[in-house]
Amino acid sequence: GNDRFSRYEIIDELIPQGIYFQNIVATAPSTLMSQSSIMTSQPPINLSRTNIDFNFDKSYFPTLATILKKEGYNVYGTTHYAEGRKLMKNIVFPLEKKNLPKGVKNDDNWTSKNVNDVFKKLLKDKLKEPFFLLLNYNNEEETQSYLKETIKTLKKTGLYENSLFIFCPDHGWNDNTKKKIIKRHDYILTDSNIFIHCFIKYPNCIKKNINTMVSSLDITPTILDILNIPNQGFRFKGKSLLQFIQGKETYDKKIFRTDIRYVFQKERAVSLRTDKYKYIHRFDPDEKIKEEFYNIINDSNEKNNLLNSNNLDNYTQKQIFSFREELKNQEKELIKYHENYINYKFNKEINKILKNKEKLKIIILGSAEKLFLKMIVNSINKTIKNYELDIISNEKLLKENINL
């Protein structure tokens, strides 16, 4: 499309038919982080420490798919890229080989045509009702035509009118005409890259355009609320928007966070966005511009970093201080969260091997952030009274020529 969200034109045809959220802040500008966050209603930085060790804990984090499956829904999940299907196998439940059309393999990246072919085969084989179907298309020139075909097919079969239908990207797309950036899209925090839109339609729903800023964390709780599935202690960080849609309550979230990378990764960055300001902090020590602060009302294209000015008024200086303090507090909570989670996992696993052992020999192989190692050691101290610990770094492994 041609608007700031690179929105597909087909959305204009859908808007009058249901509920349209114009300003949803995505929790991440990358597919793995954003999709897993939407499906779990968890900030992506809660779900893993790095992308390398992303191993989704289905026993700790319920997902939209697992909840619906428990409620008796048949779940059919697709995502266009192969790595995502592997990493998110416990989040979106990739299709079995029997569900795939000839020539389409789970080990391959899929084009939008592939996704459309998968959809057509599922319909031909007759989806078992009730069902939850996730179709994740790639962003290509041909995608819009396949989306139109999909919606046309849904209408023809009656599924469009009788189902809860949601049309939503997982993140935006950077508009380089407004701010020249040469890095990958998953390292960009411009509004065009972190804002998404969402269309929701279900039988007898009201027709409404909503301009209020909300979070992509709210999508899964809203779906479950529309389906009358109660929150059974799901640990969601978002909230259902159904009462807000119906005009029965206000939306009170004021600060929206978007993360680049996981908590112990390089090139990590955070955006804090309100209806007026945006604060960006980059943690990578090699990054030249560590902080950015924009008045979005006066500078929607984000070209004037106010932190470069020496003549800021007192009010703006107070706002900058407030955002810095907010991030500092959020980071403290984040570290505490991961400490508690690591302790929980350590307790769960270590109890399996502690039986009848008076003393435990623990060896940690490989390199990790010092803070991460400290968390692990703290968990060991809390759990085990008598142990011997040795931490062997990558360099030491190489020197000692240990064969892993």
Side-chain angles (χ1 to χ4, degrees), residues 186-204:
D186 60 354
Y187 196 65
I188 299 170
L189 289 167
T190 57
D191 271 7
S192 59
N193 206 36
I194 68 172
F195 271 82
I196 60 176
H197 52 275
C198 182
F199 171 78
I200 301 175
K201 183 204 153 300
Y202 52 94
N204 302 316

Side-chain angles (χ1 to χ4, degrees), residues 208-224:
K208 195 172 188 178
N209 284 13
I210 298 174
N211 194 42
T212 304
M213 284 173 59
V214 298
S215 172
S216 60
L217 293 170
D218 303 324
I219 294 174
T220 281
T222 302
I223 292 172
L224 295 177

Side-chain angles (χ1 to χ4, degrees), residues 91-273:
I91 298 177
V92 298
F93 295 152
L95 297 170
E96 297 178 28
K97 185 178 180 180
K98 66 180 181 180
N99 298 125
L100 302 179
K102 188 176 180 180
V104 178
K105 299 178 181 179
N106 265 325
D107 291 335
D108 297 335
N109 290 321
W110 295 353
T111 64
S112 290
K113 181 183 184 304
N114 294 145
V115 176
N116 195 53
D117 289 342
V118 169
F119 169 64
K120 287 191 289 187
K121 186 175 190 306
L122 288 171
L123 283 185
K124 183 180 177 181
D125 294 345
K126 295 186 179 179
L127 295 160
K128 294 180 181 179
E129 297 187 10
F131 65 80
F132 165 63
L133 171 63
L134 171 67
L135 296 173
N136 176 225
Y137 290 84
N138 199 0
N139 186 23
E140 304 164 344
E141 287 186 17
E142 302 83 4
T143 299
Q144 178 147 237
S145 63
Y146 290 118
L147 289 171
K148 286 183 177 180
E149 184 180 332
T150 298
I151 293 170
K152 184 179 179 180
T153 303
L154 288 171
K155 289 181 176 180
K156 187 177 179 180
T157 58
L159 289 170
Y160 183 79
E161 292 301 324
N162 300 320
S163 303
L164 167 57
F165 174 82
I166 298 171
F167 184 105
C168 182
D170 49 32
H171 58 79
W173 194 257
N174 181 56
D175 182 355
N176 268 330
T177 64
K178 294 181 178 179
K179 188 173 182 179
K180 294 294 181 183
I181 299 175
I182 59 174
K183 294 193 176 184
R184 285 167 41 121
H185 75 85
D186 60 354
Y187 196 65
I188 299 170
L189 289 167
T190 57
D191 271 7
S192 59
N193 206 36
I194 68 172
F195 271 82
I196 60 176
H197 52 275
C198 182
F199 171 78
I200 301 175
K201 183 204 153 300
Y202 52 94
N204 302 316
C205 73
I206 62 177
K207 314 298 188 290
K208 195 172 188 178
N209 284 13
I210 298 174
N211 194 42
T212 304
M213 284 173 59
V214 298
S215 172
S216 60
L217 293 170
D218 303 324
I219 294 174
T220 281
T222 302
I223 292 172
L224 295 177
D225 201 3
I226 292 172
L227 296 175
N228 293 312
I229 297 174
N231 187 331
Q232 303 165 37
F234 294 143
R235 294 192 183 98
F236 290 157
K237 298 303 181 183
K239 61 176 289 186
S240 170
L241 299 171
L242 184 57
Q243 297 293 308
F244 174 63
I245 291 169
Q246 296 172 344
K248 297 178 181 179
E249 67 180 29
T250 58
Y251 188 84
D252 54 7
K253 187 177 179 70
K254 302 298 182 185
I255 300 178
F256 299 83
R257 175 170 175 146
T258 303
D259 281 271
I260 289 174
R261 311 293 186 261
Y262 293 105
V263 64
F264 295 124
Q265 271 186 271
K266 292 181 178 180
E267 295 188 329
R268 184 169 168 245
V270 173
S271 163
L272 298 181
R273 179 70 155 80

